[in-house]
Amino acid sequence: DTAVSQTPKYLVTQMGNDKSIKCEQNLGHDTMYWYKQDSKKFLKIMFSYNNKELIINETVPNRFSPKSPDKAHLNLHINSLELGDSAVYFCASSQAALRGAKNIQYFGAGTRLSVL
Amino acid sequence: AQKITQTQPGMFVQEKEAVTLDCTYDTSDQSYGLFWYKQPSSGEMIFLIYQGSYDEQNATEGRYSLNFQKARKSANLVISASQLGDSAMYFCAMREGTGNQFYFGTGTSLTVIP
């Protein structure tokens, strides 16, 4: 069983469309994340949820909206897609932060989004 | 200031040789965790090794070891006996105290030469 699974793996769409990426983790973690990795491989945090509560909300266009129906799921919805949204989007999860604890972050396989 | 700095955009190593990938970090927290991830060309992010700030011993996982120098705020990854399959991007990351955010470096692209 995949620990962090995200779908779809590839997403090709036209400018202006709306799309969603889904993420699920079966690790029992409290915290989930969305990252964007651009063509230069820079990993940029976008959002993080802890037990369905938004805790990290970096400066991203409000066309991006995360939704966490429960602590095992964190979906990303993108409205009015633009060329610059083309990137690889990673979902990740970790246990909630505890001082001194290992709290490894595990990643999904990534979703390669291409906006034409 | 950057939380994580990786100064080597690209590195080459001969197969079976050891290689060190550099990472320095910046934090005022006494408690923090340091992580290394591998991203092969297939794209997934694979956790390699962890070092806690209070750990007295350097972390080791198989051929991977972390050279942790707290006073210098460095957490270099050492890969021994390099294999062709080690060719990948390598990211250093840090998590501070009880914070939920992970800070990533810009990565080092490692190429293992046969």
Side-chain angles (χ1 to χ4, degrees):
Chain A
D1 266 356
T2 306
V4 182
S5 59
Q6 54 182 110
T7 53
K9 192 165 171 62
Y10 299 97
L11 191 49
V12 182
T13 189
Q14 299 285 336
M15 268 175 53
N17 284 350
D18 303 339
K19 289 292 178 187
S20 292
I21 307 172
K22 294 186 175 181
C23 180
E24 175 182 2
Q25 54 94 4
N26 63 5
L27 296 166
H29 288 164
D30 297 313
T31 310
M32 296 185 72
Y33 307 77
W34 277 111
Y35 289 87
K36 178 181 179 181
Q37 187 176 44
D38 62 21
S39 57
K40 294 183 179 175
K41 301 291 188 181
F42 295 149
L43 261 175
K44 177 178 155 63
I45 181 77
M46 299 174 70
F47 303 104
S48 178
Y49 272 73
N50 185 56
N51 266 323
K52 302 192 294 176
E53 181 187 341
L54 181 65
I55 54 171
I56 296 173
N57 186 5
E58 291 294 306
T59 307
V60 299
N62 58 15
R63 298 181 294 103
F64 290 80
S65 53
K67 281 199 171 38
S68 181
D70 55 61
K71 75 173 194 177
H73 295 84
L74 180 60
N75 304 323
L76 182 66
H77 189 75
I78 316 169
N79 287 330
S80 304
L81 278 154
E82 299 178 359
L83 294 176
D85 298 332
S86 295
V88 180
Y89 292 83
F90 283 101
C91 177
S93 75
S94 72
Q95 198 53 277
L98 291 170
R99 193 168 287 276
K102 206 166 176 177
N103 295 326
I104 297 165
Q105 188 173 66
Y106 293 95
F107 284 79
T111 295
R112 185 173 295 276
L113 172 64
S114 299
V115 182
L116 307 176
Chain B
Q2 294 285 341
K3 291 280 189 183
I4 295 286
T5 302
Q6 295 180 253
T7 56
Q8 307 153 313
M11 290 281 286
F12 291 87
V13 65
Q14 204 74 40
E15 198 178 2
K16 298 179 187 173
E17 298 289 311
V19 63
T20 298
L21 306 184
D22 294 342
C23 173
T24 56
Y25 59 92
D26 181 29
T27 182
S28 55
D29 274 17
Q30 296 302 307
S31 175
Y32 50 89
L34 297 158
F35 307 79
W36 277 92
Y37 288 84
K38 173 183 178 182
Q39 187 177 35
S41 57
S42 50
E44 68 270 32
M45 291 283 286
I46 302 166
F47 164 73
L48 292 178
I49 195 166
Y50 164 84
Q51 180 84 41
S53 59
Y54 294 122
D55 295 341
E56 294 187 352
Q57 306 270 2
N58 284 345
T60 59
E61 290 285 349
R63 293 185 300 108
Y64 303 110
S65 59
L66 202 151
N67 184 359
F68 181 45
Q69 298 188 43
K70 201 168 181 176
R72 297 178 63 184
K73 293 190 174 177
S74 76
N76 298 338
L77 177 71
V78 181
I79 306 175
S80 61
S82 296
Q83 301 171 356
L84 296 178
D86 294 334
S87 294
M89 281 288 284
Y90 289 82
F91 291 94
C92 180
M94 176 178 66
R95 184 177 192 172
E96 293 175 307
T98 55
N100 285 298
Q101 186 156 352
F102 285 73
Y103 299 95
F104 282 82
T106 50
T108 295
S109 176
L110 176 67
T111 302
V112 180
I113 304 164

